[in-house]
Amino acid sequence: MLNFALRQTMVVNGKEDVIDQKGSEVTGDKLRFDFSCSRGLKPAEVKAIEDIVNAQIQEALPIHCKVVPLKDAQAINSLRAVFGEVYPDPVRVVSVGPVPHTIDELVAKPDNDDWMKLSVEFCGGTHLDDAKEATHFCCVSEEGTAKGVRRVVCLTKEAALIAVMAGQDFEKRVAGAGSLADMAALDMEVSKLRKDLDETVMDYFLKDKCRQGIDKLKEKVLAAEKDRKSTRLNS
């Protein structure tokens, strides 16, 4: 679903990058996904990706699996396969929703434009019977690992919900700091907020919002210091 959401987001935003999977690691509630991309994703794009995946989770889309001839599977227009990977023949195809489409239908009409709305991949095994079992999805980091390769780390289930709540709680903390009238105290709080932000696992989009909020607080401190110096010089 993440692979699908990446492709959908880049298309929606008019980007020409071809998003190809470069590697992944999946555990019970955490995943790492490497993919080709010429630049880092913007926080708003990460949020859009999260929204697409969470929408599929909320729809409780069924997961269809079937082993079919490799040539037939490769003809499916929405197929996402790892570039350079050698696949067996026949190969196991996995499609995430929706009802009532099955792998047989995808193979029978491989060029159907409706398939572009589906997440379809070659996969040796899945961890879910339907999307709702993931409960929730959020991205906690996005970074470059090599030239033209990006990596996102994401959480699902309770870990994802905890990360979202951590971000919401931190937002409240940043907002509360803005009420400090003592600029020396605010400057100290800004330093602590920055340190704690780096050390806290939270939703990537919310972390960016918190970082922007902290930057504005620092600007407030600097402006107050500038005014103080100007007043002293003019007195």
Side-chain angles (χ1 to χ4, degrees):
M1 290 188 289
L2 169 60
N3 199 358
F4 171 80
L6 277 165
R7 181 184 64 190
Q8 292 296 304
T9 299
M10 304 309 281
V11 170
V12 167
N13 287 284
K15 305 296 184 268
E16 296 180 355
D17 292 305
V18 177
I19 307 302
D20 284 322
Q21 180 178 340
K22 294 297 183 181
S24 67
E25 180 180 11
V26 181
T27 63
D29 59 4
K30 183 177 180 179
L31 66 91
R32 183 201 73 218
F33 191 81
D34 297 347
F35 57 96
S36 62
C37 191
S38 62
R39 60 167 179 80
L41 299 182
K42 298 175 182 178
E45 291 172 327
V46 173
K47 179 65 166 59
I49 289 165
E50 289 180 336
D51 288 346
I52 290 172
V53 176
N54 279 313
Q56 292 189 328
I57 291 173
Q58 291 301 313
E59 290 178 41
L61 296 180
I63 297 176
H64 306 291
C65 307
K66 187 170 184 178
V67 175
V68 301
L70 180 61
K71 183 178 179 181
D72 294 341
Q74 289 175 326
I76 300 171
N77 59 4
S78 61
L79 177 73
R80 303 295 288 173
V82 179
F83 181 77
E85 186 82 4
V86 177
Y87 293 97
D89 188 5
V91 66
R92 188 170 183 266
V93 179
V94 177
S95 173
V96 180
V99 177
H101 299 305
T102 64
I103 303 299
D104 286 337
E105 290 181 78
L106 269 62
V107 171
K109 299 179 180 179
D111 57 352
N112 190 327
D113 289 340
D114 287 344
W115 306 160
M116 297 305 294
K117 303 174 185 177
L118 307 179
S119 173
V120 183
E121 298 191 15
F122 294 156
C123 185
T126 55
H127 307 278
L128 308 174
D129 291 322
D130 64 60
K132 70 179 179 181
E133 293 179 31
T135 308
H136 195 73
F137 172 89
C138 83
C139 174
V140 294
S141 71
E142 190 277 343
E143 62 181 356
T145 60
K147 185 177 180 179
V149 178
R150 307 298 298 181
R151 169 176 293 174
V152 290
V153 175
C154 307
L155 303 175
T156 60
K157 299 184 178 179
E158 185 178 2
L161 294 172
I162 291 173
V164 171
M165 288 188 289
Q168 294 171 340
D169 289 343
F170 211 97
E171 276 191 295
K172 295 175 183 177
R173 185 176 162 190
V174 173
S179 64
L180 292 173
D182 185 328
M183 291 299 102
L186 178 57
D187 198 25
M188 290 180 62
E189 181 64 12
V190 164
S191 296
K192 192 170 189 309
L193 284 169
R194 283 181 171 167
K195 181 177 182 297
D196 291 347
L197 185 68
D198 290 337
E199 296 175 352
T200 303
V201 176
M202 68 176 72
D203 178 86
Y204 183 86
F205 180 74
L206 294 178
K207 177 170 280 194
D208 180 74
K209 287 181 64 179
C210 290
R211 184 174 290 109
Q212 292 183 45
I214 295 170
D215 289 343
K216 289 181 179 178
L217 293 177
K218 183 62 176 180
E219 290 173 4
K220 182 178 179 180
V221 171
L222 294 175
E225 176 64 16
K226 183 178 180 180
D227 288 343
R228 186 183 66 80
K229 289 180 178 179
S230 177
T231 301
R232 185 175 61 188
L233 288 172
N234 294 328
S235 60

